[in-house]
């Protein structure tokens, strides 16, 4: 009887493990597919996870990013970021549209737009911060080039151009 009960228990555990593994794989696929950079931190501002887009934008390998403290990721810009992270952690507020211009070792100065949200567990207790960011560097460069172009070229010529078809070189 004990052996039969153990066999049933083992089969149940195996089924549960398969379901959990399937859900984990689905969540990994979703996390990887998000085109914006996403990192999660604990309450001490240590990075727990970062998706593929975050690693590409920040120019960091997964092993470099995981466990890194945010002050080490954005040393010069962390003062402003720290105040917003405290707002998220202490007041459970979401902060959107925060713009940073950190200097990244591999890329130099980049333009990032961040949104910060409390990272909650199943009991709705705040466990850290989820940070979603977009890299606006190329977009801002194109806008600056367009403004320069507008000053140099007649408005009649500009109106004849299809700006959506222009590709950066």
């Amino acid at each position: 009887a004990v052996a039969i009960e153990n066999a049933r228990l083992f089969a149940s555990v195996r089924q549960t493990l398969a379901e959990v593994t399937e859900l984990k794989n689905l969540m990994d696929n979703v996390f990887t597919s998000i085109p914006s950079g996403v990192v999660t931190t604990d309450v001490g501002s240590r990075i727990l996870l970062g998706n593929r887009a975050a690693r590409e934008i920040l120019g960091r390998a997964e092993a470099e990013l995981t466990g890194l403290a945010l002050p080490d990721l954005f040393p010069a810009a962390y003062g402003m970021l720290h105040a917003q992270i405290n707002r998220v952690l202490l007041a459970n507020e979401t902060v959107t549209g925060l713009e940073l211009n950190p200097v990244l070792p591999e890329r130099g100065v980049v333009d990032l737009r961040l949104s910060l949200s409390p990272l909650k567990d199943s009991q709705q207790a705040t466990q850290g911060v989820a940070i979603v960011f977009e890299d606006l560097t190329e977009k801002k460069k194109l806008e600056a080039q367009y403004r320069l172009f507008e000053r140099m070229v007649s408005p009649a010529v500009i109106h004849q151009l299809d700006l959506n078809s222009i590709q950066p070189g």
Side-chain angles (χ1 to χ4, degrees):
V2 171
I4 292 173
E5 185 60 30
N6 283 344
R8 286 185 189 148
L9 183 60
F10 181 74
S12 173
V13 168
R14 181 184 281 175
Q15 176 64 32
T16 302
L17 179 61
E19 291 171 3
V20 168
T21 301
E22 186 177 333
L23 284 173
K24 183 199 176 300
N25 289 339
L26 175 63
M27 292 304 294
D28 287 346
N29 290 341
V30 168
F31 196 57
T32 301
S33 300
I34 297 171
S36 298
V38 179
V39 294
T40 60
T41 71
D42 60 15
V43 292
S45 293
R46 252 197 212 284
I47 296 174
L48 302 172
L49 292 171
N51 70 348
R52 176 193 46 77
R55 293 189 302 270
E56 288 174 4
I57 291 168
L58 300 172
R60 302 278 183 139
E62 186 172 2
E64 284 182 287
L65 196 57
T66 304
L68 186 66
L70 280 178
D72 296 333
L73 184 60
F74 303 123
Y78 189 71
M80 181 175 62
L81 188 58
H82 180 67
Q84 299 303 324
I85 288 173
N86 281 340
R87 186 172 149 199
V88 170
L89 290 172
L90 300 175
N92 278 325
E93 292 181 24
T94 297
V95 175
T96 59
L98 179 65
E99 294 203 9
L100 287 182
N101 306 98
V103 178
L104 300 177
E106 298 293 320
R107 298 186 54 205
V109 177
V110 294
D111 296 300
L112 302 176
R113 181 179 300 140
L114 287 74
S115 295
L116 297 86
S117 302
L119 184 64
K120 306 232 179 214
D121 64 12
S122 60
Q123 285 79 38
Q124 297 302 305
T126 301
Q127 299 296 308
V129 178
I131 303 171
V132 178
F133 51 93
E134 295 177 76
D135 185 355
L136 304 176
T137 308
E138 291 302 316
K139 180 179 177 184
K140 288 194 174 192
K141 283 181 186 176
L142 286 175
E143 287 172 355
Q145 289 172 352
Y146 180 73
R147 285 191 300 275
L148 178 63
F149 186 68
E150 279 183 315
R151 287 188 297 220
M152 298 171 62
V153 177
S154 159
V157 172
I158 291 175
H159 290 297
Q160 293 177 3
L161 295 176
D162 179 11
L163 298 177
N164 294 324
S165 68
I166 297 174
Q167 297 294 320

